[in-house]
Amino acid sequence: MPEAIPLPGGGAFAFVDGIAVPVPRQALPERPTREFAEPLPLPPASQRRAGIGALQLTLAEAGLVVPTSLAWRIHGFDAPVPLPASPPGMLGVSLLDGAPVPVLALPGARGWRDAALLLELRHGGHRFALPAGRISALPSGGEDFTEWLGSREAASLLAMAPLAPADALAPPVANRDLVLFSAGGRDVALPVEAVVAVLPPLNPAPVPGGSVAAHRGEVLPVLDAGPRLGGAPTRLPAPLLRLATHPGRLMLVSAVAGVRAVPAAEIHPLRQGGLIAALARFGAAPLPVLSVAALGRPA
């Protein structure tokens, strides 16, 4: 396939025997697409490599040269729908990427006879299109067309053109921070607000009925998360989590993976009162999110 030359709008074209042919999107390497209110020039590297500063549109006996800095995408021709009482120079409206875009007449051409392509352009925040039978590359040019865009005639035509979509920021995604750890041979998590502190591996002191450990001047009871989760007792020494319970408690775990942000929409609550409060979609398997209230109750 000939080299694909990108346009700012996310599409591309290739020259085949001197004729610009749109490149199917599935043939392009995937990359993020963005929409901009103002046109962007072709990437400088591509422009230098291809030696393209302007595009020459030809339609039957008419021709027009436009600078590549205005070009956005090359579409297959879609016959415009005429608009009643539209000013001279307006052929009608075509749907491009699902949006109505005015199609202007190519100077000297009679309508859109022999048109095979539509070149979408953006100027002054507006989008519009020009019909062409073929599009050729030029190293430079298009100054006359740029000057015409500043005329009163062009202003009256562009006033009918819709504004190009702005580069709107995506709404922020609501996240929940989870403390990931393993215990009883399972990977589980707790909401970050349920964990007061993470203690390094140590050996709790045995006492009648259980064990205790000190943290910040307090001697706190220690529970083992392994048997609570249906697994074997945790091998000592082991890290501990201080739980946000009252009174305070420490919990033995096998390892602590850290804090991860998970989209709130990917955390699905289960029935209330159980040890597993929710399942989070994280990694290859659902991640159980434990209930700190259930952990604080005696086993």
Side-chain angles (χ1 to χ4, degrees):
M1 172 184 290
E3 180 182 10
I5 301 168
L7 286 171
F13 64 96
F15 283 104
V16 179
D17 297 328
I19 300 175
V21 178
V23 175
R25 293 186 184 180
Q26 59 267 27
L28 295 174
E30 293 187 4
R31 64 180 181 90
T33 59
R34 302 176 67 195
E35 296 292 341
F36 292 85
E38 293 292 335
L40 295 178
L42 286 167
S46 299
Q47 193 165 346
R48 288 195 300 270
R49 183 174 61 252
I52 298 172
L55 299 175
Q56 182 172 23
L57 283 66
T58 305
L59 183 60
E61 68 282 2
L64 178 69
V65 177
V66 301
T68 54
S69 59
L70 301 175
W72 196 258
R73 286 180 182 167
I74 295 178
H75 303 264
F77 183 73
D78 180 23
V81 177
L83 297 178
S86 58
M90 176 77 69
L91 296 178
V93 174
S94 291
L95 287 176
L96 302 182
D97 295 329
V101 176
V103 179
L104 307 186
L106 208 64
R110 288 180 287 181
W112 58 78
R113 183 170 56 89
D114 299 328
L117 303 168
L118 280 174
L119 175 65
E120 181 183 350
L121 302 103
R122 299 197 176 190
H123 172 74
H126 294 275
R127 56 189 300 202
F128 59 100
L130 292 168
R134 59 181 289 171
I135 300 176
S136 306
L138 295 175
S140 62
E143 293 82 4
D144 291 343
F145 182 74
T146 303
E147 183 178 350
W148 175 81
L149 284 173
S151 68
R152 182 174 300 179
E153 177 189 1
S156 66
L157 291 172
L158 294 183
M160 304 185 66
L163 290 174
D167 183 24
L169 293 176
V173 176
N175 290 326
R176 290 288 306 277
D177 290 330
L178 301 178
V179 178
L180 275 60
F181 60 96
S182 58
R186 303 182 65 177
D187 293 328
V188 291
L190 275 170
V192 71
E193 61 271 15
V195 179
V196 176
V198 178
L199 282 66
L202 53 81
N203 289 288
V207 296
S211 60
V212 295
H215 181 244
R216 295 179 182 173
E218 297 180 77
V219 177
L220 303 172
V222 175
L223 64 90
D224 190 343
R228 287 290 186 97
L229 294 171
T234 303
R235 181 179 299 178
L236 301 178
L240 293 98
L241 303 180
R242 178 164 181 173
L243 304 178
T245 57
H246 184 75
R249 282 177 176 267
L250 297 172
M251 184 172 69
L252 283 168
V253 299
S254 301
V256 179
V259 178
R260 301 290 187 273
V262 178
E266 298 294 340
I267 301 176
H268 307 280
L270 301 180
R271 64 179 181 85
Q272 294 183 352
L275 178 61
I276 298 178
L279 290 177
R281 188 183 299 275
F282 185 82
L287 179 70
V289 180
L290 305 183
S291 165
V292 69
L295 287 170
R297 292 194 295 265

